[in-house]
């Protein structure tokens, strides 16, 4: 299947000249926290709240045109599907505003030189790889997802393609194919299947010296009673329909213990994002709660509650977020395959 994607060898578009190099981390910024997993585990709740107290600043960047793009959806690819719109907003908020980069692995030189082959596992709407494929036109990008309904956006880029495939049947590529394999917010399988089956497949198709990067969110911190209750029920509701939530805590251990990954290269970075305060925080909060609202009918049936009760619970959750200073953590864990 991979050999049939002719654009992989035919794409000859030149990179933009004099492109400024991206900063993958922003350690000087007060709006983020980048540490190793060991340091992250030492932070107390009070330390983390102090870290995010200055996050009331306007949404970065403050260019009015960019702000309109976020508010009005002009940034996003066209889609009539509300969940696709949510995923695109999620990408913008976390990649452009919270992390201020699409990836954390040291790959800038690979992309600048061109010719890198990149796989996005469970690519969803394809927004992540579309973003990178537009920026790095001399590299090639493949997105794979086991849910054809989630990837309705057509790739009109000469260096990007989408494949619909059951991930539990293995990744349909030869060994040592990709320079970079990316996975974000994975929901197809449980942690045991991911660690024992999906991750070994990712490592298998990764070239020696290539990088794998995994991104996931932890459960909300400082969440109120109603917020915890609703999200716990939502997780149970999703499990019944085969949707899982991976815990990022398993990532570093899994990569370090994999014999084909150079353990000395495994790193874990995280960002703390408050759901209270400034406009960015409000948008992140709305995006997270939107998951519930998009499945309101089915979720209400599962919870045996009516629409009015659901709406009341959502309003209570917003109140709890502001009162208790609820926040979320997203993690990126990455490592290099041994040469």
């Amino acid at each position: 299947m991979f050999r049939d994607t002719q654009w992989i060898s035919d794409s000859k578009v030149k990179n933009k000249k004099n492109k400024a190099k991206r900063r993958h981390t922003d350690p000087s910024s007060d709006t983020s926290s980048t540490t190793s997993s060991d340091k992250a585990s030492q932070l107390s709740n009070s330390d983390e709240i102090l870290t995010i107290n200055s996050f009331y600043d306007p949404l970065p960047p403050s260019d009015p045109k960019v702000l309109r793009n976020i508010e009005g959806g002009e940034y996003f690819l066209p889609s009539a599907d509300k969940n696709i719109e949510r995923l695109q907003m999620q990408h913008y908020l976390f990649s452009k505003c919270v992390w201020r980069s699409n990836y954390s692995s040291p790959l800038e030189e690979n992309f600048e030189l061109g010719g890198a082959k990149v796989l996005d596992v469970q690519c969803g709407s394809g927004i992540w790889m579309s973003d990178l494929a537009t920026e790095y036109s001399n590299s090639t990008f493949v997105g794979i997802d086991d849910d054809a309904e989630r990837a309705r956006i057509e790739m009109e880029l000469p260096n990007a393609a989408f494949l619909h495939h059951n991930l539990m049947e293995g990744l349909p590529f030869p060994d040592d194919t990709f320079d970079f394999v990316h996975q974000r917010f994975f929901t197809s399988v449980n942690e045991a299947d991911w660690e024992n089956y999906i991750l070994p497949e990712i490592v298998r198709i990764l070239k020696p010296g290539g990088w794998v990067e995994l991104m996931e969110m932890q459960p909300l911190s400082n969440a109120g009673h109603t917020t915890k209750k609703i999200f716990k029920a939502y997780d149970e509701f999703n499990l019944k329909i085969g949707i899982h939530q991976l815990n990022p805590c398993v990532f570093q251990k899994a990569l370090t213990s994999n014999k084909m990954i150079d353990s000395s290269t495994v790193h874990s970075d995280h960002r703390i994002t408050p759901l209270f305060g400034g406009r960015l925080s409000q948008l992140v909060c709305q995006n997270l709660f939107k998951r519930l609202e998009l499945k309101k009918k089915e979720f209400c049936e599962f919870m045996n509650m009516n629409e009015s009760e659901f709406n009341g619970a959502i309003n209570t959750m917003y109140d709890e977020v502001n009162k208790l200073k609820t926040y979320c953590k997203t993690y990126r864990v990455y490592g290099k395959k041994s040469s």
Side-chain angles (χ1 to χ4, degrees):
M1 184 180 295
F2 184 75
R3 295 171 184 170
D4 293 338
T5 51
Q6 188 63 37
W7 50 266
I8 285 177
S9 58
D10 290 347
S11 179
K12 302 293 183 182
V13 184
K14 294 183 178 180
N15 278 327
K16 295 178 180 179
K17 294 182 179 180
N18 301 322
K19 188 190 305 177
K21 289 177 74 81
R22 172 195 292 107
R23 289 189 62 185
H24 301 295
T25 58
D26 190 10
S28 63
S29 173
D30 289 335
T31 66
S32 62
S33 174
T34 305
T35 69
S36 67
S37 61
D38 292 338
K39 290 182 179 179
S41 65
Q42 297 172 3
L43 283 174
S44 66
N45 284 345
S46 59
D47 291 333
E48 289 171 340
I49 290 297
L50 287 174
T51 304
I52 61 178
N53 272 345
S54 61
F55 211 80
Y56 288 87
D57 297 333
L59 186 144
S62 57
D63 187 321
K65 181 179 179 181
V66 176
L67 183 59
R68 285 198 303 273
N69 287 346
I70 299 171
E71 302 284 7
E74 297 170 22
Y75 166 83
F76 307 112
L77 301 173
S79 173
D81 187 284
K82 294 299 181 182
N83 194 45
I84 294 296
E85 290 182 0
R86 183 189 71 81
L87 292 174
Q88 293 177 59
M89 173 67 88
Q90 180 187 73
H91 168 76
Y92 189 91
L93 291 172
F94 284 100
S95 289
K96 303 299 183 184
C97 301
V98 175
W99 283 86
R100 303 191 185 186
S101 68
N102 282 312
Y103 57 90
S104 295
S105 302
L107 288 159
E108 192 70 30
E109 184 175 352
N110 298 59
F111 284 129
E112 291 293 345
L113 292 174
K117 292 183 174 65
V118 179
L119 176 68
D120 188 18
V121 178
Q122 200 184 29
C123 65
S125 69
I127 185 67
W128 180 87
M129 68 174 190
S130 295
D131 207 355
L132 279 174
T134 302
E135 183 176 2
Y136 299 110
S137 56
N138 279 347
S139 291
T140 54
F141 298 82
V142 181
I144 187 169
D145 201 294
D146 55 7
D147 187 345
E149 293 300 312
R150 270 156 75 198
R152 297 178 184 155
I153 299 173
E154 294 200 17
M155 301 290 169
E156 297 184 354
L157 296 165
N159 60 332
F162 166 74
L163 300 176
H164 173 224
H165 180 76
N166 184 349
L167 299 176
M168 290 305 292
E169 294 179 359
L171 297 175
F173 311 103
D175 296 353
D176 307 335
T177 297
F178 292 96
D179 300 283
F180 181 37
V181 179
H182 173 263
Q183 170 202 300
R184 178 173 69 176
F185 303 140
F186 197 90
T187 60
S188 292
V189 300
N190 58 37
E191 289 180 4
D193 286 338
W194 176 84
E195 188 169 358
N196 296 324
Y197 192 73
I198 300 296
L199 180 60
E201 276 291 280
I202 288 175
V203 176
R204 176 186 66 79
I205 64 172
L206 193 64
K207 291 180 181 179
W211 289 83
V212 55
E213 181 166 315
L214 315 165
M215 181 173 173
E216 197 56 70
M217 182 185 299
Q218 279 193 334
L220 298 180
S221 299
N222 285 5
H225 173 75
T226 300
T227 304
K228 290 178 180 178
K229 177 183 176 181
I230 293 296
F231 271 102
K232 182 177 184 295
Y234 183 70
D235 289 341
E236 294 171 352
F237 164 73
N238 279 331
L239 283 175
K240 294 192 69 171
I241 57 177
I243 297 176
H244 304 262
Q245 185 76 28
L246 291 182
N247 191 323
C249 293
V250 306
F251 289 164
Q252 185 163 6
K253 179 181 176 182
L255 285 183
T256 303
S257 61
N258 191 295
K259 295 180 180 180
M260 299 184 71
I261 296 292
D262 181 353
S263 60
S264 68
T265 67
V266 176
H267 294 280
S268 176
D269 296 339
H270 78 274
R271 295 290 187 272
I272 297 170
T273 309
L275 306 189
F276 60 92
R279 185 59 181 146
L280 172 57
S281 301
Q282 295 171 20
L283 288 170
V284 171
C285 185
Q286 291 170 12
N287 189 264
L288 293 178
F289 288 4
K290 191 71 172 179
R291 292 182 298 171
L292 305 171
E293 296 169 5
L294 289 174
K295 295 183 179 179
K296 180 191 295 187
K297 181 180 179 181
E298 299 88 346
F299 185 59
C300 283
E301 292 176 358
F302 176 80
M303 289 285 290
N304 193 26
M305 65 193 312
N306 57 43
E307 184 173 337
S308 177
E309 291 171 329
F310 175 87
N311 293 336
I314 294 294
N315 290 333
T316 299
M317 290 164 63
Y318 278 114
D319 290 339
E320 289 179 344
V321 161
N322 291 313
K323 181 179 179 180
L324 300 176
K325 300 189 185 304
T326 305
Y327 61 96
C328 68
K329 284 185 187 180
T330 47
Y331 282 81
R332 285 179 178 175
V333 182
Y334 49 100
K336 184 170 70 171
K337 186 173 180 179
S338 301
S339 300

